[in-house]
Amino acid sequence: MIFEERKWAELAENMVRTQIAARGISNGRILDALAKVPRHVFVPEELRFMAYDDCPLPIGYGQTISQPYMVARMTELLDPKAGEKVLEIGTGSGYQAAVLAYLGAEVFSIERIGPLAKRAQDNLRKLGLSASVIVGDGIKGLPEEAPFDAVIVTAASTEVAQAWKEQLKDDGRILLPLRLHSGVERLLLLIRSEGKEEEQWYDYCRFVPLLPGVEKTR
């Protein structure tokens, strides 16, 4: 099937209306971002005809771009403000970083797979969106740019890494899909306030696993 790029805005509007707003996402800023950031740019060319469908899609190297609703939901829970410094763990093709950048956040995104990081940076530059993509081990965070107002993790972790906590500002928050002992994954929002940490649990989900280190690719 051939993707008609001239129709992407219509497809994006329909995606927002039927997949996101219809499921209860009501934040106007987030709905606007999902309508205005062209998702097909972050999808392999041969799959662009599915870019606005209600599903995750493979982007190579065993990774995926998340379902549009899940991107919207995680963005809603993180609630990024313009000017906030946000660390993303797991860039993928750059779509979540693009949404955060569109919302005015100062985005630093770590990707362990070099070719994916380069593709993501190219995608973001193509759209004129400012976000820094770094090849590295996301579990270690990015201490040279800390502290961060928020950390968002887009792969399933078995724990909240200590580095993320150490690099978080007071009154900051961390959002991640946490893989529980049962193998079930659930969104966890950890909020720091006055030196204390509060855990809030949300949707069940399914993500690729968060892996340590930097992957060697040819």
Side-chain angles (χ1 to χ4, degrees):
M1 186 177 295
I2 298 174
F3 174 71
E4 296 185 58
E5 187 163 357
R6 62 188 175 84
K7 292 186 177 181
W8 80 263
E10 178 183 335
L11 294 171
E13 289 285 356
N14 183 67
M15 175 190 77
V16 168
R17 184 178 66 256
T18 62
Q19 300 176 36
I20 299 170
R23 293 179 187 171
I25 304 293
S26 59
N27 185 307
R29 294 175 62 245
I30 294 172
L31 296 178
D32 180 65
L34 271 289
K36 296 295 176 56
V37 175
R39 190 169 188 264
H40 65 275
V41 171
F42 301 91
V43 170
E45 191 167 352
E46 66 274 15
L47 295 176
R48 286 185 174 176
F49 70 96
M50 298 176 66
Y52 299 94
D53 290 356
D54 185 22
C55 60
L57 293 169
I59 56 173
Y61 303 94
Q63 305 302 301
T64 61
I65 180 174
S66 295
Q67 172 195 27
Y69 170 77
M70 187 55 65
V71 173
R73 180 61 169 151
M74 292 185 74
T75 306
E76 176 187 56
L77 292 173
L78 193 71
D79 192 23
K81 308 293 193 302
E84 283 193 328
K85 199 170 186 179
V86 178
L87 175 64
E88 180 190 24
I89 309 300
T91 315
S93 61
Y95 182 59
Q96 177 71 77
V99 171
L100 294 170
Y102 183 90
L103 291 168
E106 182 183 5
V107 182
F108 294 85
S109 187
I110 302 178
E111 173 55 57
R112 66 186 299 273
I113 301 172
L116 273 185
K118 182 181 185 305
R119 188 192 310 169
Q121 191 72 81
D122 290 345
N123 290 338
L124 290 159
R125 285 175 179 158
K126 184 186 302 182
L127 298 177
L129 293 169
S130 179
S132 299
V133 180
I134 301 97
V135 177
D137 183 346
I139 295 173
K140 296 178 179 178
L142 196 64
E144 60 269 33
E145 293 293 344
F148 296 95
D149 294 286
V151 177
I152 181 170
V153 184
T154 55
S157 178
T158 56
E159 63 179 356
V160 182
Q162 186 62 32
W164 305 336
K165 294 183 180 182
E166 292 173 353
Q167 295 168 31
L168 193 66
K169 288 183 181 178
D170 291 333
D171 299 321
R173 61 257 188 229
I174 301 173
L175 176 67
L176 73 155
L178 191 69
R179 181 166 293 163
L180 307 175
H181 294 301
S182 61
V184 170
E185 296 170 17
R186 197 172 177 188
L187 293 180
L188 169 63
L189 180 64
L190 185 149
I191 301 173
R192 177 179 292 165
S193 180
E194 298 180 351
K196 298 180 180 179
E197 294 176 355
E198 176 191 352
E199 294 183 352
Q200 297 179 2
W201 294 92
Y202 293 96
D203 311 47
Y204 290 95
C205 54
R206 177 64 64 184
F207 281 79
V208 296
L210 180 67
L211 299 176
V214 175
E215 184 168 314
K216 295 180 179 179
T217 56
R218 294 182 180 180

